[in-house]
């Protein structure tokens, strides 16, 4: 029925060679497929690496560009801050000078006023002890300074001295209380003595200079308010600080200019420089990518070529061998067994060996 079944050893060797060739094609196709997959994976990794390099390079270069402007702007900002502080210090110094000049004028007035008071008191034979600021503070307090002296005097006379005496004297508590009371009474007596011996005795003289004391108090109040009033005065043109304002204005204009240039340069970077960086990187990897693409194309071409040969071989195997021999016998193991039977004389033909 089929001539091939009547053939012997020579034909079976031919069939074995064809099946071996087919198996070799299969193995080679699998190897090429695996190699292509590996190369495509490597190419994908390379593309990913290139994209990452592009991104990192663009970000780094953009950050460097932005930092160069930010550093310059920051330096100018510090300059503005320094100039403003210098202006504040100069303004404070100028205000202090103005305050000192105005205070000096008031102090001169007060000095003349006090000299007038002393001259009047002396001309009316008032004791010298009544011609000083402490006496005035104790018996005719008018100014903040007078009340300060009076307050400190009361603390010393009725607080510090009695308490110190009680602390350092090793006496019973009752004795200490008596000493405390005695010291307090002593100072009251002293105060009363001078009150009656001077203030009451020379009341007409003190009434005569009372308006001078009041005037001194007004001058003292004026001097205390002077600093506050000068600081509240919004007019600073008299202090000649225009140079600071001009310098600060110039620095701020430079900051604005740098900010505008920065914005323009960053826009240029985004629109032009970033594309140049991408082209540079693409060019750097161009040869490597081309080589890998060629490897993949060569592998594909070889795969197609071998696949075509395998298909032709399968057509031959199917049409000439598969039907007469049976698909189950068309493998090397079975074919080698048939060959062995023919070589050993156990079968005279391929058909007999199969049966």
């Amino acid at each position: 029925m089929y001539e091939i079944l009547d053939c012997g050893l020579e034909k079976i060797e031919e069939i074995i060679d064809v099946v071996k060739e087919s198996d070799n094609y299969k193995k080679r196709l699998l190897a090429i497929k695996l190699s292509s997959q590996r190369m495509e994976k490597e190419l994908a990794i390379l593309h990913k690496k290139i994209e990452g390099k592009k991104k990192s390079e663009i970000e780094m270069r953009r950050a460097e560009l932005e930092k160069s402007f930010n550093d310059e702007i920051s330096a100018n900002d510090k300059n503005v801050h320094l100039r403003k502080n210098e202006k504040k210090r100069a303004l404070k110094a100028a205000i202090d000078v103005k305050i000192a000049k105005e205070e000096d004028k008031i102090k001169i007035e007060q000095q003349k006023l006090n000299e007038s008071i002393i001259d009047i008191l002396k001309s009316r034979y008032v004791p010298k002890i009544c011609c000083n600021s402490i006496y005035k503070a104790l018996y005719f307090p008018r100014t903040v300074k007078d009340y300060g002296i009076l307050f400190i005097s009361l603390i010393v006379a009725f607080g510090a001295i009695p308490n110190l005496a009680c602390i350092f004297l090793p006496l019973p508590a009752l004795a200490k209380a008596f000493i405390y009371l005695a010291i307090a009474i002593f100072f009251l007596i002293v105060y009363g003595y001078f009150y009656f011996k001077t203030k009451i005795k020379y009341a007409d003289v003190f009434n005569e200079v009372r308006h001078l004391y009041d005037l001194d108090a007004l001058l003292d109040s004026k001097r205390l308010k002077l600093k506050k009033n000068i600081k509240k005065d919004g007019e600073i043109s008299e202090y000649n600080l225009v140079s600071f304002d001009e310098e600060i204005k110039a620095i701020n204009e430079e900051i604005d200019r740098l900010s505008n240039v920065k914005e323009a340069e960053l826009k240029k970077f985004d629109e032009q420089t970033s594309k140049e960086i991408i082209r540079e990187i693409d060019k750097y990897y161009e040869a490597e990518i081309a080589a890998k693409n060629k490897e993949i194309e060569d592998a594909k071409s070889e795969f197609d070529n071998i696949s075509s040969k395998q298909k032709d071989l399968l057509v031959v195997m199917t049409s000439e061998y598969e039907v007469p021999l049976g698909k189950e016998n068309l493998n090397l193991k079975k074919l080698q067994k048939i060959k062995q039977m023919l070589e050993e004389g156990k079968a005279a033909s391929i058909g007999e060996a199969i049966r």
Side-chain angles (χ1 to χ4, degrees), residues 116-292:
S116 297
I117 292 170
I118 292 169
D119 288 342
I120 292 170
L121 294 177
K122 284 182 178 180
S123 67
R124 300 293 292 276
Y125 303 106
V126 176
K128 194 174 182 180
I129 197 171
C130 303
C131 303
N132 58 67
S133 58
I134 295 175
Y135 182 87
K136 174 176 168 288
L138 293 175
Y139 293 97
F140 301 97
R142 291 286 190 279
T143 66
V144 174
K145 180 182 176 183
D146 291 341
Y147 283 106
I149 293 171
L150 179 60
F151 180 70
I152 292 169
S153 299
L154 289 172
I155 289 174
V156 171
F158 299 103
I161 293 174
N163 277 306
L164 286 171
C166 292
I167 289 170
F168 290 107
L169 290 173
L171 296 171
L174 187 62
K176 287 183 178 182
F178 177 78
I179 289 171
Y180 186 96
L181 188 61
I183 293 171
I185 291 169
F186 169 77
F187 282 116
L188 281 173
I189 291 170
V190 170
Y191 185 83
Y193 174 81
F194 282 103
Y195 182 85
F196 288 105
K197 286 292 184 180
T198 57
K199 186 176 179 180
I200 298 298
K201 183 177 179 180
Y202 299 103
D204 58 332
V205 182
F206 287 121
N207 285 331
E208 187 180 333
V209 296
R210 183 181 295 275
H211 72 284
L212 297 177
Y213 283 147
D214 292 338
L215 184 58
D216 182 58
L218 285 172
L219 288 172
D220 198 60
S221 177
K222 182 181 177 182
R223 187 166 58 84
L224 291 173
K225 291 178 182 177
L226 179 69
K227 187 174 184 179
K228 186 178 179 181
N229 291 336
I230 290 175
K231 283 187 175 181
K232 280 174 68 177
D233 183 13
E235 184 57 50
I236 62 170
S237 57
E238 62 179 291
Y239 301 122
N240 193 26
L241 303 174
V242 178
S243 59
F244 289 103
D245 294 330
E246 289 175 350
E247 192 172 356
I248 290 167
K249 182 184 176 184
I251 297 170
N252 281 325
E253 286 174 354
E254 176 64 9
I255 289 171
D256 291 339
R257 187 192 69 80
L258 286 169
S259 297
N260 292 332
V261 173
K262 170 190 167 183
E263 188 177 342
E265 286 298 319
L266 288 176
K267 185 179 180 182
K268 181 183 175 183
F269 181 92
D270 294 336
E271 293 176 354
Q272 297 179 24
T273 311
S274 60
K275 292 179 177 62
E276 290 172 7
I277 292 169
I278 290 169
R279 283 195 293 271
E280 286 173 8
I281 293 172
D282 283 338
K283 187 175 180 181
Y284 180 83
Y285 286 98
E286 186 179 2
E288 188 176 351
I289 290 173
K292 287 193 178 293

Side-chain angles (χ1 to χ4, degrees), residues 88-107:
K88 284 180 183 177
R89 287 194 293 270
L91 178 60
K92 183 180 180 301
I95 288 172
D96 288 344
V97 169
K98 184 176 179 179
I99 289 170
K101 285 180 180 178
E102 295 299 322
E103 281 184 332
D104 286 344
K105 291 177 184 177
I106 294 171
K107 285 177 182 177

